[in-house]
Amino acid sequence: MSRSRLPYHSLSPAVSQAMGAAGPILDESPLGKQLVHLIYLRVSQINGCAFCVDKHARDLIKGGEDFQRINSLVTWRETDFYSARERAALAWAEAATRLQGGEVPDPVFLGLKEVFSDREIADIGFATALMNAWNRMAIGFHQPVARAAFPAAQ
């Protein structure tokens, strides 16, 4: 990957800080930090955001997430490693990221309604939207991935 195009965080610090403020709020959501970061990682995988894939895989490892679940997230439908709640959230995150046919199909929304409160559903929507926004910034401005040792689980 080439060098970063622009230091967008420092060029527009108020907007960057405002977007950044949403992350810690979502981490405190009733969804739990682990599920929020699984959503972030899956959205980043779909969008092909190298910086965010690296960041959120590291965050999940630091938070004690199982490596096999992280590694298998791209194939979550083919494993039994994820709960019904996680599956519903991941289905929403994928559908809202891809927007095939310009919408998120009703069955995907109804799947959320079966296992989440309305507040939790709103937070899933915000987590998905936030990560899509960050992915577009990082991809568009060539946010580099720094080579570093992979963190050990706590």
Side-chain angles (χ1 to χ4, degrees):
M1 164 85 41
S2 62
R3 291 184 30 209
S4 179
R5 289 179 168 163
L6 287 174
Y8 57 93
H9 292 288
S10 61
L11 289 168
S12 192
V15 176
S16 181
Q17 289 169 5
M19 278 181 59
I25 294 168
L26 285 166
D27 284 350
E28 298 300 320
S29 160
L31 296 171
K33 188 174 181 176
Q34 175 189 18
L35 180 53
V36 169
H37 285 264
L38 283 173
I39 291 167
Y40 291 166
L41 180 55
R42 185 65 192 119
V43 168
S44 298
Q45 289 172 336
I46 292 165
N47 288 328
C49 183
F51 178 83
C52 294
V53 165
D54 181 72
K55 178 188 181 340
H56 296 293
R58 288 174 183 281
D59 288 347
L60 283 161
I61 289 287
K62 285 178 192 173
E65 179 58 80
D66 178 70
F67 176 78
Q68 191 174 24
R69 281 175 33 98
I70 294 168
N71 191 53
S72 297
L73 187 60
V74 71
T75 58
W76 65 269
R77 284 183 173 87
E78 286 80 41
T79 70
D80 62 359
F81 303 157
Y82 306 94
S83 70
R85 285 172 55 92
E86 290 167 334
R87 289 176 174 281
L90 292 169
W92 173 272
E94 287 186 0
T97 297
R98 291 185 171 127
L99 290 175
Q100 293 177 341
E103 67 174 346
V104 176
D106 286 340
V108 175
F109 177 73
L110 294 173
L112 289 177
K113 292 289 282 182
E114 291 177 10
V115 291
F116 290 106
S117 70
D118 288 351
R119 158 75 193 279
E120 290 171 320
I121 293 169
D123 287 349
I124 291 167
F126 279 117
T128 301
L130 179 65
M131 192 47 42
N132 273 292
W134 280 124
N135 288 170
R136 278 143 182 80
M137 294 300 291
I139 293 167
F141 289 105
H142 294 178
Q143 179 74 40
V145 177
R147 182 78 174 144
F150 208 79
Q154 294 182 5

